[in-house]
């Protein structure tokens, strides 16, 4: 594994585990209402729908953060979550 890939994984894992809870798919949590998440929800709405179907135990905030870190690339996001 390259150093760049390792750094990306560490960044992804940290934000996923450090900032957000995966305690259920809560569409109206306070994190989802933050302006940043409103923008991300609009920008990544199609990808979010797909990820919600694939990973129903993840919150929208988790999924949107993962999409953001993958620059909106759904395949990369799915691969990172599945690891």
């Amino acid at each position: 594994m390259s150093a760049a890939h390792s750094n990306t994984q560490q960044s992804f894992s940290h934000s996923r585990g450090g900032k957000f809870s995966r305690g259920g798919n809560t569409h109206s949590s306070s994190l989802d209402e933050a302006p940043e998440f409103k923008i991300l929800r609009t920008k990544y709405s199609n990808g979010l729908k797909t990820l919600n179907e694939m990973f129903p135990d993840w919150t929208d905030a988790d999924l949107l953060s993962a999409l953001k870190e993958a620059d909106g690339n759904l395949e990369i996001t799915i691969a990172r979550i599945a690891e």
Side-chain angles (χ1 to χ4, degrees):
M1 178 182 332
S2 71
H5 180 72
S6 177
N7 288 340
T8 301
Q9 277 302 110
Q10 289 174 348
S11 172
F12 177 72
S13 297
H14 173 70
S15 72
R16 182 178 70 195
K19 292 183 181 178
F20 307 111
S21 167
R22 290 183 6 198
N25 199 348
T26 55
H27 295 280
S28 62
S29 74
S30 61
L31 288 175
D32 287 338
E33 298 307 315
E36 177 186 5
F37 286 102
K38 288 181 181 180
I39 293 167
L40 292 175
R41 185 183 301 279
T42 301
K43 185 174 183 178
Y44 301 129
S45 63
N46 289 333
L48 180 60
K49 289 176 188 175
T50 301
L51 293 172
N52 275 326
E53 291 173 7
M54 295 180 71
F55 305 101
D57 60 326
W58 281 55
T59 65
D60 283 3
D62 283 330
L63 296 172
L64 288 168
S65 293
L67 275 167
K68 179 182 176 187
E69 289 190 23
D71 295 321
N73 186 308
L74 190 58
E75 290 181 17
I76 291 172
T77 304
I78 292 167
R80 287 179 178 173
I81 291 171
E83 285 181 347

